[in-house]
């Protein structure tokens, strides 16, 4: 299995509070991604990173920010959580080599009440 | 814009039946990659196959087979002699080449239920 770990695995938080999800990899892969999974939508890209301090927005980036200060860590922050951000969040990593696929973390179930 | 459509939201079959999951994609890129992922009830995403746009050969892996047809922009997935353990949500996805970031566009998923 690819070395990718998400923390926490489950979290319940109140509306308006900040939340940070962490993705940690041991594969030294260049690319890291945050997706959210919602019924009827599949997985949608929130933010991604090409390398340290090199990030960009995805399809559903409003209300989220990211940071990547080290190759192995990619943080997703909800500055002020809302109920619409209740979802399952997946981190993924991939290399820029042609032969690799994206590896996904176990997912984080976030509930905003 | 890139888009992946999995028109079948739910499929229910009886064990040992064959089942085909449909996937239709849209892209203006000439180089792209197609994937299938499996999400069992435990929730993790399991990679099944990756196919690049220049390789239209069908692929078979045990009971699984994939039919890639560029002419119809389809990448369908067939499970032969289905088993209860095949029950899961299956996602088709499209991505740009890895050296361009490899971002994935997912379909909505097809929930397959295989009953004994």
């Amino acid at each position: 299995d690819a070395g990718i770990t998400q923390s926490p695995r489950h979290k319940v938080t109140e509306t308006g509070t900040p939340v940070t999800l962490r993705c940690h990899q041991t594969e030294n892969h260049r690319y890291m991604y945050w997706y959210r999974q919602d019924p009827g939508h599949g997985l949608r890209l929130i933010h991604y990173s090409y390398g340290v301090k090199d990030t960009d927005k995805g399809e559903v980036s409003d209300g989220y920010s990211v940071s990547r200060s080290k190759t192995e860590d990619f943080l997703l922050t909800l500055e002020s959580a809302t109920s619409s951000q209740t979802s399952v969040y997946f981190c993924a990593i991939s290399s820029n080599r042609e032969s690799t696929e994206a590896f996904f973390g176990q997912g984080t179930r976030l509930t905003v009440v | 814009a890139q888009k992946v459509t999995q028109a079948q939201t739910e499929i229910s079959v009886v064990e040992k039946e064959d089942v085909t999951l449909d996937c239709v994609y849209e892209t203006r890129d000439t180089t792209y990659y197609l994937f299938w992922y499996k999400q069992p009830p435990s929730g993790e995403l399991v990679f099944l196959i990756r196919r690049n746009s220049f390789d239209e050969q069908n692929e078979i892996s045990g009971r699984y087979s994939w039919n890639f047809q560029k002419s119809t922009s389809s990448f369908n997935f067939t499970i032969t002699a289905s088993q209860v353990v095949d029950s899961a949500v299956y996602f088709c996805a499209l991505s740009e080449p890895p050296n361009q970031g490899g971002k994935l566009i997912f379909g909505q998923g097809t929930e397959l239920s295989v009953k004994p």
Side-chain angles (χ1 to χ4, degrees):
Chain A
D1 288 346
I4 177 169
T5 305
Q6 291 183 230
S7 60
R9 295 292 313 280
H10 302 272
K11 185 170 183 66
V12 179
T13 192
E14 293 186 351
T15 298
T17 61
V19 177
T20 295
L21 308 182
R22 181 184 185 230
C23 179
H24 178 79
Q25 62 146 328
T26 57
E27 305 294 324
N28 200 36
H29 280 354
R30 178 180 175 187
Y31 298 117
M32 300 186 75
Y33 314 84
W34 278 107
Y35 293 88
R36 60 177 288 174
Q37 182 179 10
D38 304 291
H41 291 279
L43 283 81
R44 293 177 293 174
L45 182 65
I46 306 171
H47 281 279
Y48 58 100
S49 170
Y50 291 131
V52 174
K53 297 184 179 179
D54 191 358
T55 65
D56 207 346
K57 297 178 179 180
E59 176 187 359
V60 290
S61 59
D62 287 348
Y64 302 95
S65 62
V66 290
S67 66
R68 191 169 179 196
S69 58
K70 298 184 291 185
T71 299
E72 57 267 33
D73 289 325
F74 192 32
L75 304 180
L76 176 70
T77 297
L78 290 65
E79 300 291 347
S80 178
T82 66
S83 59
S84 64
Q85 294 176 312
T86 292
S87 186
V88 179
Y89 291 85
F90 284 96
C91 176
I93 61 175
S94 73
S95 169
N96 60 354
R97 291 182 294 120
E98 293 292 323
S99 61
T100 61
E101 71 278 8
F103 298 101
F104 283 82
Q106 320 96 304
T108 295
R109 183 172 295 277
L110 176 68
T111 302
V112 183
V113 298
Chain B
Q2 296 179 315
K3 184 179 180 181
V4 176
T5 301
Q6 294 179 255
Q8 304 151 309
T9 304
E10 297 178 6
I11 299 176
S12 183
V13 299
V14 177
E15 208 170 18
K16 298 184 182 178
E17 284 186 25
D18 299 346
V19 58
T20 295
L21 283 59
D22 297 332
C23 174
V24 175
Y25 64 92
E26 298 175 27
T27 181
R28 284 194 287 262
D29 294 334
T30 55
T31 300
Y32 53 89
Y33 293 79
L34 296 164
F35 299 80
W36 277 95
Y37 284 87
K38 175 182 180 180
Q39 187 176 44
S42 51
E44 73 273 22
L45 283 158
V46 179
F47 166 81
L48 295 178
I49 189 172
R50 164 188 168 135
R51 172 70 70 222
N52 74 53
S53 52
F54 298 107
D55 182 2
E56 288 192 69
Q57 282 192 337
N58 292 331
E59 182 155 340
I60 298 175
S61 176
R63 296 183 297 106
Y64 294 172
S65 62
W66 292 269
N67 182 1
F68 176 29
Q69 292 194 343
K70 286 180 75 171
S71 60
T72 56
S73 297
S74 65
F75 187 45
N76 297 336
F77 172 32
T78 297
I79 302 174
T80 302
S82 59
Q83 300 177 1
V84 172
V85 294
D86 295 327
S87 296
V89 180
Y90 291 87
F91 291 100
C92 180
L94 166 73
S95 87
E96 58 198 12
N99 60 0
Q100 295 179 23
K103 301 182 291 296
L104 289 167
I105 304 296
F106 284 85
Q108 303 92 318
T110 296
E111 183 172 5
L112 175 65
S113 176
V114 182
K115 302 187 185 305

